[in-house]
């Protein structure tokens, strides 16, 4: 970890779930020169605005945690926005970072950009080996382009300009700052909302789609932020030891998964709901298992600290305090 706590760090998307956790992590470590802009202050799809920002602020490092994200429904309804916004945001930020002398940048990919039928657990070399999940293909194509853009800048400008742009691939994240929208949220925030409402309304049961047997992996967002800062500060030779010039991303997972049934029980416990949990097995289950291999990150010396039970309590506290 660099001791220079004064270096100027731009966290793009600092009001989002991941960006705000990265800011918390950096501040806790004593970094005191963090620069941010809200979406209203700077639309990252606006090339001229991003150019002016980088020319004015000249940051030393960039965490690119701004993106248009959403669940299946949003991805299906707004595919043009998902591909356009994400390509524009990342192109503008990565290219202007380069033009303005930024040597260190961290790009955030996602486990959902691996092929739909990738072998489990998904390892880094599964990227671009098969067809993508159709519902989020535009988003995934943009994210893959972002990883390849970082790699290409490293390959062309690494030697000449000292460019060292890295990518991390988070599994499903949850925690403070999550999106709890009733129709358009990921599984953990959706369950937190439903169990919370069931508790308030004394509902005798909560019905969950599917059999409850599919397995999924979840990582607490502050662990994700810690992993991001860890990967950003690895010595180049150490990072290079677990990556390749054209396969430069590192998976960030929890390392184990749970069934949806186990998850539901854990959310019920965290929210204090004491009624019944019923699984509607006439509804579809999705893939039987999705999790990532975090072997490379573990070898580099990082493991998560927050288990699901503890993370859900924190997530619920943040939700209930909203
Ligand atoms: N959440 C997960 O489970 C998960 C899993 C894997 C990977 N990731 C990755 O982590 C990153 C951050 O995700 P997140 O969950 O933190 O999302 P989030 O909570 O929606 O945060 C994204 C942030 O980016 C901002 N933003 C979006 N478009 C912008 C634009 N055109 N100009 C300026 N700001 C813009 C948003 O501002 P507004 O809200 O004002 O638009 C928001 O503050 C993404 O790259 C995502 O792919 C997330």
């Amino acid at each position: 970890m660099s001791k220079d706590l004064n270096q100027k760090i731009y966290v793009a998307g600092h009001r989002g779930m991941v960006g705000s956790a990265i800011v918390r992590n950096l501040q806790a470590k004593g970094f005191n020169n963090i620069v941010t802009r809200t979406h209203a202050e700077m639309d990252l799809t606006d090339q001229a605005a991003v150019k002016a920002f980088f020319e004015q602020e000249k940051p030393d490092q960039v965490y690119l945690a701004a993106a248009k994200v959403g669940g299946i429904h949003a991805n299906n309804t707004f595919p043009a926005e998902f591909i356009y916004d994400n390509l524009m945001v990342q192109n503008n930020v990565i290219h202007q970072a380069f033009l303005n002398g930024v040597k260190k940048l961290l790009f955030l990919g996602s486990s959902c950009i691996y092929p739909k039928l990738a072998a489990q657990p998904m390892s880094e070399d599964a990227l671009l080996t098969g067809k993508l999940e159709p519902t989020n293909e535009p988003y995934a194509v943009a994210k893959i382009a972002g990883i390849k853009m970082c790699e290409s800048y490293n390959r062309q400008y690494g030697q000449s300009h000292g460019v060292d742009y890295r990518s991390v691939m988070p599994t499903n994240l949850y925690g403070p700052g999550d999106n709890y929208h009733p129709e358009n949220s990921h599984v953990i925030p959706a369950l937190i909302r439903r169990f919370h409402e069931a508790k308030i309304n004394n509902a005798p049961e909560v019905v969950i789609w599917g059999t409850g047997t599919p397995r999924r992996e979840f990582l607490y967002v502050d662990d994700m932020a810690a992993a991001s800062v860890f990967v950003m500060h690895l010595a180049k030779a150490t990072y290079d030891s677990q990556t390749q010039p054209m396969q430069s991303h590192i998976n960030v997972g929890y390392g184990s998964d749970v069934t949806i049934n186990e998850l539901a029980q854990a959310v019920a416990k965290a929210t204090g709901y004491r009624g019944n949990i019923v699984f509607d097995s006439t509804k579809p289950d999705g893939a039987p298992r999705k999790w990532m291999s975090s072997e490379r990150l573990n070898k580099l010396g990082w493991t998560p600290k927050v288990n699901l039970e503890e993370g859900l309590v924190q997530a619920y506290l943040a939700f209930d305090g909203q």
Side-chain angles (χ1 to χ4, degrees), residues 232-243:
M232 179 72 119
H233 286 91
L234 283 171
K236 185 168 183 320
T238 312
Y239 186 76
D240 289 352
S241 73
Q242 293 299 321
T243 58

Side-chain angles (χ1 to χ4, degrees), residues 13-19 38-39 42-45 64-69 85 89 108-111 139 143 170-174 177-178 186:
H14 73 290
R15 283 197 173 165
M17 176 167 70
V18 178
T38 63
H39 193 157
M42 174 170 57
D43 181 349
L44 292 168
T45 65
L64 181 35
K68 184 171 180 66
V69 304
D85 282 23
V89 166
L108 273 86
S110 172
S111 60
Y139 170 85
K143 285 280 176 190
T171 185
N172 304 303
L173 305 173
Y174 69 100
D178 212 340
H186 292 133

Side-chain angles (χ1 to χ4, degrees), residues 52-315:
F53 166 79
F54 272 92
E55 287 172 354
Q56 184 197 329
E57 293 289 351
K58 294 276 180 194
D60 299 304
Q61 289 189 359
V62 174
Y63 289 84
L64 181 35
K68 184 171 180 66
V69 304
I72 293 175
H73 179 69
N75 271 275
N76 254 337
T77 316
F78 309 110
E81 288 176 34
F82 272 85
I83 193 160
Y84 177 80
D85 282 23
N86 285 309
L87 283 172
M88 291 300 284
V89 166
Q90 66 206 34
N91 282 353
N92 287 339
V93 172
I94 296 168
H95 189 60
Q96 290 304 326
F98 166 67
L99 290 181
N100 287 282
V102 175
K103 294 194 169 57
K104 300 291 292 288
L105 178 145
L106 192 79
F107 179 74
L108 273 86
S110 172
S111 60
C112 68
I113 71 176
Y114 281 121
K116 183 179 163 79
L117 300 176
Q120 304 291 320
M122 294 177 282
S123 73
E124 285 83 352
D125 49 22
L127 193 67
L128 287 172
T129 58
K131 281 192 193 290
L132 300 166
E133 162 62 44
T135 44
N136 69 357
E137 189 188 77
Y139 170 85
V141 165
K143 285 280 176 190
I144 293 169
I147 293 171
K148 292 296 160 192
M149 186 147 167
C150 290
E151 285 175 4
S152 303
Y153 279 56
N154 291 342
R155 290 168 60 216
Q156 187 170 343
Y157 304 125
Q159 290 275 329
S160 57
H161 294 71
V163 164
D164 181 5
Y165 295 172
R166 303 175 180 184
S167 301
V168 281
M169 296 281 244
T171 185
N172 304 303
L173 305 173
Y174 69 100
D178 212 340
N179 164 21
Y180 291 94
H181 191 277
E183 283 109 48
N184 187 25
S185 55
H186 292 133
V187 56
I188 287 188
L191 288 179
I192 287 178
R193 172 180 281 279
R194 291 189 58 204
F195 280 109
H196 172 75
E197 287 172 357
K199 180 179 79 171
I200 301 293
N201 299 326
N202 285 319
E205 62 180 35
V206 170
V207 180
I208 296 173
W209 277 27
T211 61
T213 56
R215 304 185 70 88
R216 294 291 184 269
E217 181 184 24
F218 302 97
L219 183 72
Y220 188 62
V221 70
D222 285 80
D223 270 337
M224 178 59 210
S228 300
V229 175
F230 174 84
V231 167
M232 179 72 119
H233 286 91
L234 283 171
K236 185 168 183 320
T238 312
Y239 186 76
D240 289 352
S241 73
Q242 293 299 321
T243 58
Q244 292 159 30
M246 294 184 73
Q247 198 195 95
S248 67
H249 54 283
I250 300 258
N251 286 349
V252 185
Y254 183 69
S256 61
D257 55 0
V258 291
T259 65
I260 296 298
N261 185 6
E262 288 163 340
L263 175 68
Q265 306 288 346
V267 174
K269 190 172 169 205
T271 55
Y273 176 70
R274 296 208 168 76
N276 292 324
I277 302 172
V278 178
F279 288 93
D280 178 358
S281 55
T282 64
K283 295 290 194 302
D285 258 345
R289 191 172 196 189
K290 278 191 101 67
W291 63 305
M292 298 210 301
S293 166
S294 300
E295 209 181 309
R296 291 184 193 174
L297 186 61
N298 299 157
K299 274 193 198 149
L300 289 166
W302 188 87
T303 48
K305 290 198 168 57
V306 183
N307 65 33
L308 186 64
E309 191 175 356
E310 191 186 334
L312 287 174
V313 169
Q314 295 306 321

Side-chain angles (χ1 to χ4, degrees), residues 13-53:
H14 73 290
R15 283 197 173 165
M17 176 167 70
V18 178
S20 57
I22 290 174
V23 170
R24 281 199 292 281
N25 187 286
L26 290 169
Q27 285 174 337
K29 288 192 165 67
F31 287 96
N32 57 37
N33 197 1
I34 299 169
V35 54
T36 58
R37 292 288 186 280
T38 63
H39 193 157
E41 289 165 345
M42 174 170 57
D43 181 349
L44 292 168
T45 65
D46 179 345
Q47 187 180 30
V50 178
K51 180 174 187 287
F53 166 79

